[in-house]
């Protein structure tokens, strides 16, 4: 065991994936052993399930069963309206509502009693719970080094990731034989990715000592029912008035009008405050969207706003400039629980804060303990917490002050001689705090990173080539005949012949200067090129047709071609681009009243969302498409359209592991295309997807059979796109059977096709699956897995919406597990740490304003090119896609190239990123770099435990990060 060395600071970083919680522990950066992590590891989630459930049950707020019961009560309240003007009905409804409101209060009171009698109050239960969590979460290498440490000059920075954000790390027991808590040996800080500290909007003001404070206490208006009402219904405690001295501002504080967002803005801009303390309610309108988290304030008379959300604050930091120190004593104000930590904490940092204190969970209101104390309140624990936060932020070292106060609370709780005293000092309240302390040196600038960058190479000049043979006879008639012949060949899946007919039609329409015909024929040439695998020609043809349709004011055709461009983006693996193109096309078609064609686009949008790991939202769009088909299609086409919906619905249901329902929908689609409307191509797709569902359900023989049927058909008609997908599926089945040579042969054939046709995402998936055929600790496995993983993971850095990025990351969770396990088993500790920290990256924040399509007009002539059929879903054959709750769109977008994370050594993932860029480069000749600039985690660990009392005089609070990307090895 290494002896205690004063002044040490460690980083303990976690990231939870599908099956494990991965972690790494930094070495002390001042010591020679800092060139590599001190330790890395992975924890099976099964070990954490029970203790985390026990922790959740001991915290304030509703657990899942209580929340379901409350939702049921609210539903019955909403349904219990009086029928007509009947007095008896009205009286019964009123009586029922009173009874249900009583049930509502009883449910919330029961939750409060559970918290006040649980493991966060009872010492015996607490010790057992946090001894177990300590054994699981604290690496032995760390515990050995801190057993005799002094908390005043030893610091642990914990970046828990979303899965462990509610853990009060201060309470973890570090010794199996004694009750020694982590807070007694180290100062505990919250960790934030250095990538989030790039290009912050406002520099921090110098430390102002005990300068003037602005305190926002209970700011909702009197009688307000929004935001949870007032936290001090009987009036703000006098302690807050005594605390406010000359020069301080006390906002809200029981005034009738409260404090609105506009009034808070005016106060923050009126003076250079030393600290801001908010004591009130915080809430999130969308639990998956960090930018929806906000502070509850009074209603603004001018705008009607009553919340300051993280999104508003991030977009307009100069309107709410933050002092250097900020405290949020409000329910779950910490944003570490989100996949991307871009909530209130980051909003405050972006607006100028450098020390932020927040709370991990909902705090019990003062006096709520009376529910278990015979109706007698024993104190004001939450107010005491808020006053302690205010006092700490006024000291020279808030981190130390918070730690000392918590250690004092711990001593009082341990020595309490009565239940009432234990409740008064219980960690239920005081261990909710988490402190972020960001040194100025950790705030970096990467020039130009906030400027939007192109997602893909600019398209080449539109094609204007036509066949050299001029049409014979009447050009208009020749054009119509050629177009009809092309449509017939297209229907037979003879795309080469269809292309020749469409080119002949294009020449004839050009000869008679029929611009509408030129656009139609050009679009159809693009459709044929698409199915021939020439995505570049397809995109060029569509780009050529677009301005022609626009010049003719044929907005419906503009939307249709937009959908077809979405098909190209989908096939290339540019799922984010495809989703936006499909959305825009569907909205334009719906606005114009073209409901059937909008349904086609919604089916395609559903297919993209399935690939992005958002099957629930996909099911919503597919359900709407089905309704539109039933409203608009005649009997001759309805069956085929509903079969397309069944096809994609089956895939979405597989995404939520509803395999029996999934199979039923796919069988319905298959039977339709085999009997009612024989279409071998679509029947083969149904077989392919039945293979996918069978594989995910564990039925390998069925999967083998279905994939083989699909491959046989696709090969017979020359459809190499989908033949490659079937090979990918067959390779996965072979790998699970243990037939490595067959698996690799299939994966490599699929890769060759994907590489040749520019399908970078499918290429990455096939490469990843080949990597899985190598031994777990081998270098070949890591190289293949990590390069493909980095290419796939880059999608989450490019998607414009937080919820979409979260869904894509969830879809890759099993891939994350495989890469991290490969690094760990192969002794690649540095790579392990860098991969883990790269998962914590959220993009820089900037607004993206998509250009909407003009609404289509119903008056247009209904003569358009055939639609491209909804694409089959590609096979991600690592593991099943996980469901993700749909959520609203944010207007923040990530950077296209996140920075390198310097973990204390030169980046070791250079080869990995180079391989990923090579994979993505198959989509076109120019590829944007996956990494740009570098940010260091190390400044977050360089804090002086005893800062000077004198105010700082340095005003330049940021530094410029290295922009040079690490050199790449020659190949």
């Amino acid at each position: 065991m290494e002896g205690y060395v004063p002044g040490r600071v460690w980083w303990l970083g976690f990231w939870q994936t599908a099956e494990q919680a991965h972690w790494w522990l930094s070495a002390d950066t001042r010591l020679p052993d800092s060139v590599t992590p001190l330790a890395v590891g992975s924890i099976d989630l099964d070990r954490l399930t029970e203790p985390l459930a026990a922790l959740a049950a001991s915290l304030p707020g509703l657990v899942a069963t209580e929340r379901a019961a409350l939702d049921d009560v609210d539903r019955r309240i909403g349904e219990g309206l009086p029928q007509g003007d009947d007095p008896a009905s009205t009286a019964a409804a009123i009586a029922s509502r009173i009874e249900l409101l009583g049930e509502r209060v009883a449910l919330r009171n029961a939750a409060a009693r559970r918290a006040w009698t649980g493991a966060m109050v009872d010492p015996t239960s607490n010790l057992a719970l946090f001894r177990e969590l300590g054994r699981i979460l604290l690496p032995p290498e760390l515990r050995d080094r801190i057993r005799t440490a002094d908390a005043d000059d030893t610091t642990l920075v914990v970046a828990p990731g979303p899965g462990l954000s509610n853990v009060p790390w201060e309470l973890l027991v570090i010794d199996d034989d004694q009750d020694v808590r982590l807070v007694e040996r180290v100062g505990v800080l919250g960790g934030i990715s250095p990538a989030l500290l790039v290009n912050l909007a406002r520099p921090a003001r110098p430390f102002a000592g005990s300068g003037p404070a602005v305190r926002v206490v209970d700011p909702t208006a009197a009688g307000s029912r929004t935001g949870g009402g007032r936290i001090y219904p009987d009036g703000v405690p006098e302690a807050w008035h005594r605390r406010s001295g000359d020069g301080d501002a006390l906002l809200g504080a029981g005034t009738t009008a409260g404090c609105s967002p506009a009034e808070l803005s005016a106060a923050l801009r009126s003076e250079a405050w030393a600290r801001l303390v908010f004591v009130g309610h915080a809430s999130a309108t969308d639990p998956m969207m960090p930018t929806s988290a906000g502070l509850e304030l009074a209603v603004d008379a001018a705008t009607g706003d009553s919340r300051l959300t993280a999104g508003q604050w991030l977009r307009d930091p100069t309107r709410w400039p933050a002092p250097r120190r900020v405290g949020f004593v409000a329910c779950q104000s910490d944003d570490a629980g989100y996949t991307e930590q871009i909530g209130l904490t980051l909003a405050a940092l972006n607006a100028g804060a450098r020390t932020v204190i927040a709370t991990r969970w909902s705090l019990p209101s003062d006096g709520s303990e009376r529910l278990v104390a015979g109706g007698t309140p024993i104190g004001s624990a939450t107010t005491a917490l808020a006053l302690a936060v205010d006092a700490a932020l006024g000291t020279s070292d808030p981190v130390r002050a918070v730690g000392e106060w918590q250690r004092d609370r711990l001593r009082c709780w341990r020595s309490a001689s009565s239940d009432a005293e234990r409740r008064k000092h219980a960690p239920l309240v005081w261990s909710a705090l988490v402190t972020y302390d960001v040194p100025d040196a950790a705030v970096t600038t990467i020039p130009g990173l906030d400027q939007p960058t192109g997602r893909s190479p600019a398209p080449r000049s539109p094609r204007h080539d036509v066949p050299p043979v001029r049409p014979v006879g009447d050009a208009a008639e020749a054009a119509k005949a050629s177009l009809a012949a092309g449509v017939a060949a297209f229907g037979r899946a003879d795309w080469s012949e269809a292309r020749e007919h469409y080119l002949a039609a294009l020449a004839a329409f050009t000869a008679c200067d029929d611009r509408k015909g030129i656009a139609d024929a050009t679009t159809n040439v693009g459709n044929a090129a698409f199915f021939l695998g020439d995505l570049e020609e397809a995109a060029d043809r569509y780009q050529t047709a677009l301005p022609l349709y626009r010049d003719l004011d044929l907005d419906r055709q503009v939307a249709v071609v937009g959908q077809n461009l979405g098909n190209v983006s989908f096939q290339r693996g540019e799922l984010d681009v495809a989703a936006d193109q499909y959305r825009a096309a569907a909205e334009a078609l719906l606005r114009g009243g073209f409901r059937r064609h909008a349904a086609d686009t919604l089916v395609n949008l559903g297919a993209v969302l399935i690939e992005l790991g958002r099957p629930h939202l996909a099911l919503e769009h597919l359900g709407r498409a089905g309704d539109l088909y039933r409203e608009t299609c005649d009997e001759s086409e309805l069956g085929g359209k509903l079969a397309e919906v069944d096809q994609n619905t089956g895939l979405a249901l597989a995404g939520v592991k509803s395999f029996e329902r999934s199979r039923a929908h796919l069988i319905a689609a298959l039977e339709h295309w085999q009997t009612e409307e024989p279409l071998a191509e679509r029947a083969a797709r149904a077989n392919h997807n039945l293979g996918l569902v069978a594989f995910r359900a564990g039925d390998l023989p069925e999967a083998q059979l279905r994939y083989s049927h699909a491959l046989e058909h696709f090969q017979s008609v020359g459809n190499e796109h989908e033949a490659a997908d079937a090979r990918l599926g067959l390779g996965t089945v072979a790998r699970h059977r243990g037939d490595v040579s067959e698996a690799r042969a299939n994966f490599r054939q699929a890769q060759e096709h994907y590489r040749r046709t520019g399908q970078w995402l499918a290429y990455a998936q096939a490469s990843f699956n080949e990597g899985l055929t190598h031994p777990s600790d081998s270098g070949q496995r890591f190289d293949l897995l990590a390069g493909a993983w980095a290419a796939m993971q880059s999608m989450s850095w490019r998607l414009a919406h937080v919820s979409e990025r979260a869904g894509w990351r969830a879809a890759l969770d099993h891939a994350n597990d495989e890469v991290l396990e490969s690094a760990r088993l192969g002794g690649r500790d540095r790579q392990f740490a860098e991969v883990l920290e790269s998962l914590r990256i959220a993009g820089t924040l900037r607004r993206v304003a998509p250009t909407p399509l003009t609404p289509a007009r119903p008056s247009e002539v209904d003569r358009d090119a055939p639609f491209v059929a909804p694409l089959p879903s590609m096979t991600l054959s690592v593991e099943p896609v996980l469901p993700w709750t749909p959520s609203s769109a944010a207007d923040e977008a990530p950077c296209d190239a996140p920075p390198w994370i310097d973990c204390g050594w030169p980046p070791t993932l250079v080869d990995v990123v180079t391989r990923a860029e090579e994979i993505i480069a198959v989509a076109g000749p120019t590829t944007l770099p996956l990494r740009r600039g570098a940010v260091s985690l190390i400044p977050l660990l360089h804090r002086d435990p005893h800062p000077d009392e004198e105010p700082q005089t340095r005003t330049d609070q940021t530094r410029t990060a290295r922009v040079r990307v690490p050199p790449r090895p020659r190949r």
Side-chain angles (χ1 to χ4, degrees), residues 162-225:
L164 299 170
S165 60
N166 267 3
V167 173
W169 298 87
E170 296 79 1
L171 292 176
L172 297 187
V173 177
I174 67 170
D175 194 312
D176 290 338
D177 300 321
Q178 303 178 57
D179 181 8
V180 179
R181 306 301 176 109
L182 188 62
V183 72
E184 296 179 280
R185 292 292 180 262
V186 302
V188 182
L189 285 174
I192 191 167
S193 171
L196 289 173
L197 305 176
V198 175
N199 296 352
L200 296 183
R202 296 188 70 254
R205 294 191 179 103
F207 172 60
S210 57
V214 57
R215 300 178 179 91
V216 185
V217 180
D218 204 7
T220 57
S224 172
R225 292 182 178 272

Side-chain angles (χ1 to χ4, degrees), residues 229-501:
R230 288 196 155 178
I231 63 171
Y232 294 125
D234 299 326
V236 171
E238 185 59 30
W240 286 113
H241 296 281
R242 291 195 303 268
R243 182 66 62 93
S244 295
D246 294 339
D248 293 344
L250 182 60
L251 307 180
T255 59
T256 301
C259 174
S260 70
E263 290 167 329
L264 176 58
S265 169
L268 289 173
R269 289 183 294 169
S270 67
E271 189 167 341
W273 304 103
R275 64 188 184 277
L276 163 67
V277 178
F278 177 91
V279 184
H281 290 294
S283 64
T285 56
D286 186 333
M288 294 295 109
M289 185 66 63
T291 50
S292 76
L295 306 176
E296 297 287 350
L297 299 160
V299 176
D300 189 305
T303 65
D305 291 339
S306 62
R307 302 174 73 239
L308 172 56
T309 68
Q312 290 172 308
W313 205 354
L314 286 165
R315 289 190 295 273
D316 201 356
T318 57
R319 187 178 176 192
W320 292 279
R324 188 175 184 88
R325 295 176 175 181
V326 172
F328 298 122
V329 183
C331 296
Q332 290 180 295
S333 51
D334 182 29
D335 54 9
Y338 295 101
T339 305
E340 295 185 21
Q341 200 170 352
I342 52 175
L344 288 168
T345 300
L346 182 64
L349 293 170
N350 186 58
R354 292 298 175 266
T355 300
V356 178
I357 302 177
T359 54
R360 296 181 173 110
W361 54 75
S362 298
L363 295 170
S365 59
D366 285 351
S368 62
E369 73 280 357
R370 73 182 67 193
L371 292 166
V372 294
T376 303
I378 49 84
S380 303
T382 298
T383 295
L385 173 86
L387 291 168
V389 169
D390 178 58
L393 291 173
T395 67
S396 61
D397 188 352
V399 177
R400 183 177 182 182
V402 168
E404 289 176 346
W405 180 78
Q406 289 183 316
R407 287 187 284 275
D408 179 68
R409 296 298 89 193
L410 178 62
R411 286 190 291 270
C412 291
W413 176 61
R414 281 172 169 163
S415 62
S417 59
S418 68
D419 290 342
E421 281 295 302
R422 272 189 287 274
R423 285 191 289 270
K424 183 177 180 179
H425 302 298
L428 177 69
V429 176
W430 58 258
S431 67
L433 294 181
V434 58
T435 303
Y436 297 90
D437 192 54
V438 176
D440 290 317
V443 178
T444 59
T445 300
I446 298 180
L449 193 62
D450 58 341
Q451 299 301 316
T453 32
R455 277 289 292 108
S456 57
R460 299 184 306 185
S461 300
R463 294 174 183 248
H464 298 288
D465 53 305
V466 297
V469 179
R470 306 289 291 177
V472 178
D474 186 335
E477 290 302 317
K480 292 178 183 178
S482 295
L483 191 62
V487 170
F490 195 94
R492 297 192 302 272
D494 190 340
W495 297 298
S496 294
E497 181 182 339
R499 182 176 183 275
E500 293 303 315
H501 287 303

Side-chain angles (χ1 to χ4, degrees), residues 483 487 490 502 509 516-528 542 545 549 554 556-561 563-564 596-597 600 861-869:
L483 191 62
V487 170
F490 195 94
Y502 289 147
F509 281 128
K516 171 66 164 60
I518 292 171
D520 288 345
T522 301
T523 300
N524 277 294
V525 174
N527 293 347
Y542 296 147
Y549 284 135
L554 297 177
R556 178 165 68 98
Q557 277 83 346
V558 170
V560 169
V561 175
Q563 171 186 299
N564 291 353
R596 188 188 71 79
H597 297 314
D600 291 338
V861 178
D862 189 13
R863 182 165 71 87
D864 62 323
F867 282 75
V868 173

